Every structure is written in structure tokens, then in C-alpha cells.
Amino acid sequence: MKKTILVTFGLLAFLHLAQAQTLRTIEVEGNSEMMIIPDEALIDITVQKKAMTVAEATKDLNAASKRIADAFQQSDLTYDLTANNYYVNVNRIYQKGTSKDSGYVASQNLKIKIKSIEKELAKAVELINKIGDQSVHVNFDISKEMEKSYKDQLLESALKDALSKAGKISEIMDLKNTTVHKVQYVSEEAINRSFQMRASAMMYDRTTEAREDPIFMPEEQKISDRILVTFVFEP
């Protein structure tokens, strides 16, 4: 009885393998791309203070960082503020092949995320410039909500592209009963976060104290997605 069962299972396995080997397939690559504009701005502020003692340097640094935080808190801007990279180093001056220690340098990075580039970014940068002399750098990003929306659209377009290509191949080559056999998602990260800024920030004329309105225009970025779909058809 056991031998009969084993023989039966062996025959079924052989038939399944034979059927798998006779599968006729076509494999197509579905592609999609679109142009996007970032919807969030990341302002990176480096606050730095020098003093002859560690206590004085850290006190001045904390006061400068607090002025920025207080100014944003009192504004009507929609933002998120975080602080990192807090450190104090010896202020070492190099000159003509020699070095001399002259007090300490306390530094800290403040990161401010602005939710609306068009309405609030210029106001935020102007507010920072009014507070003091800090190093300011602006990057652009997209929100998680928008990123999910873009990824869903890209994937849907890539799938439709694969179906369209398979349909055209089946039509021209007269393939019967084409159905999906396997779907392989190729892209792991559809969105490249290397966003650029098309215009400079605040422009000052130091002699007249005149200034132009700041203009921030993030460059459009092309994002893409890719998927592989295997179809089976009848001979």
C-alpha cells in the first residue's frame, strides 16, 4: 500500500514538472516616470559662538539658539524644529605653520522643517536673518503623504504599461489566453531625494541695506519606477 502511494505521488510530481516545463511565457518590463516638485523645505542653521572659556561659549550658544527658537514660536509659521550636533572645541588658530589656542568654539545645528515652500519659506529665512548672523542652508524634500501618493501613482502606471505591452505582443503574435504568471517589483526606492534650488535666498546690499524679496524655486525632479511581469499563454 505504501509503495502504491509513493508511486502515485511520484507520478503526480512528474506530471506537474512536465506541465511546468511546457509553460510558454513572455516577460515584459513596465516603466513609469513623472516630474515632481518638493512640497517641504528643510532649513539647516549652524549656530556658532566663540569665547575664552567653555562656560561663556556654551552660554552664548544657548542664548543664540534660544533666540531662534523663541522667534519661530512667536511667529505664525507652521514648522518643526530639532537640534543636534552640539559640541565645544578648542579654538585653534593656524598661521604661518604654527598653531595657537585662543579660547573655545561652541556649535550647534538647528533643523527647521517648513511645511509650505511657497507661502512660508521666504518668511522663515527672513526671520532667521533678522535674528543674527548664522550660516543658513536650504534643502528641499517631499512630505511622507505626498511620497506615498507618488509611489502609488508610479506603481499603477508601471503595471498598466506592462499590461499594455503584453497586450500588444499578444495581439501581433496572435497569442491565446494570455494571463499573468508572476509579478516582480524591481524598484526599492522610487523617489530620489536629491532636490536642487533654482534661485538664491535673501540678497543684501550692505552699503544701502536694501534687499530683494527672497525667491525659492525647487527644481523639478524626474522620478521613475519599474516592474517585471511574466505572462503565460496557450500554444
Side-chain angles (χ1 to χ4, degrees):
M1 182 64 178
K2 290 182 179 179
K3 289 183 179 180
T4 303
I5 294 174
L6 290 175
V7 170
T8 302
F9 282 149
L11 180 59
L12 289 174
F14 175 78
L15 289 174
H16 178 72
L17 179 61
Q19 290 175 352
Q21 290 175 341
T22 59
L23 282 179
R24 287 169 168 78
T25 64
I26 56 174
E27 185 176 84
V28 297
E29 181 177 284
N31 296 285
S32 62
E33 64 179 38
M34 63 192 307
M35 302 300 293
I36 66 170
I37 296 179
D39 65 327
E40 291 184 345
L42 300 175
I43 305 176
D44 194 349
I45 308 169
T46 300
V47 185
Q48 190 177 80
K49 293 297 177 181
K50 298 178 183 179
M52 295 309 297
T53 66
V54 172
E56 289 175 324
T58 55
K59 179 181 178 181
D60 292 345
L61 176 65
N62 292 338
S65 297
K66 187 176 185 301
R67 281 196 297 272
I68 295 174
D70 289 346
F72 272 87
Q73 188 173 11
Q74 294 167 12
S75 72
D76 58 353
L77 299 173
T78 303
Y79 69 96
D80 292 324
L81 189 152
T82 58
N84 58 19
N85 295 338
Y86 186 104
Y87 61 87
V88 181
N89 289 333
V90 174
N91 183 30
R92 187 156 295 161
I93 302 173
Y94 293 89
Q95 188 175 19
K96 296 181 179 180
T98 62
S99 64
K100 180 179 69 173
D101 294 346
S102 178
Y104 299 88
V105 180
S107 300
Q108 184 178 40
N109 286 346
L110 301 179
K111 293 185 180 296
I112 301 175
K113 179 184 290 187
I114 300 298
K115 302 295 186 179
S116 173
I117 295 175
E118 183 178 354
K119 295 180 180 180
E120 298 189 328
L121 179 55
K123 295 179 182 178
V125 173
E126 188 174 9
L127 180 62
I128 296 167
N129 287 332
K130 287 181 178 179
I131 297 170
D133 187 16
Q134 289 84 215
S135 173
V136 179
H137 185 72
V138 178
N139 290 314
F140 295 101
D141 202 353
I142 67 168
S143 61
K144 292 182 178 179
E145 295 80 11
M146 189 168 289
E147 180 178 355
K148 184 179 184 305
S149 173
Y150 282 136
K151 284 185 174 181
D152 289 346
Q153 293 178 49
L154 283 170
L155 179 57
E156 182 177 344
S157 297
L159 288 168
K160 288 180 177 179
D161 183 52
L163 287 172
S164 176
K165 290 175 180 176
K168 181 59 66 175
I169 293 172
S170 299
E171 177 186 347
I172 294 175
M173 301 188 70
D174 195 25
L175 306 180
K176 306 299 183 183
N177 298 327
T178 304
T179 56
V180 176
H181 175 63
K182 182 175 70 173
V183 178
Q184 181 181 355
Y185 186 56
V186 178
S187 297
E188 293 182 358
E189 178 60 56
I191 294 179
N192 176 10
R193 295 186 173 277
S194 180
F195 300 120
Q196 304 296 322
M197 184 170 64
R198 189 159 52 226
S200 60
M202 189 72 69
M203 302 291 293
Y204 286 98
D205 183 340
R206 296 296 183 184
T207 59
T208 63
E209 292 300 319
R211 60 188 176 189
E212 300 175 9
D213 290 335
I215 300 174
F216 294 94
M217 292 290 291
E219 289 280 7
E220 278 190 326
Q221 298 290 314
K222 183 173 74 173
I223 58 175
S224 60
D225 212 352
R226 186 162 60 99
I227 195 163
L228 297 177
V229 182
T230 302
F231 294 84
V232 295
F233 60 92
E234 292 182 0

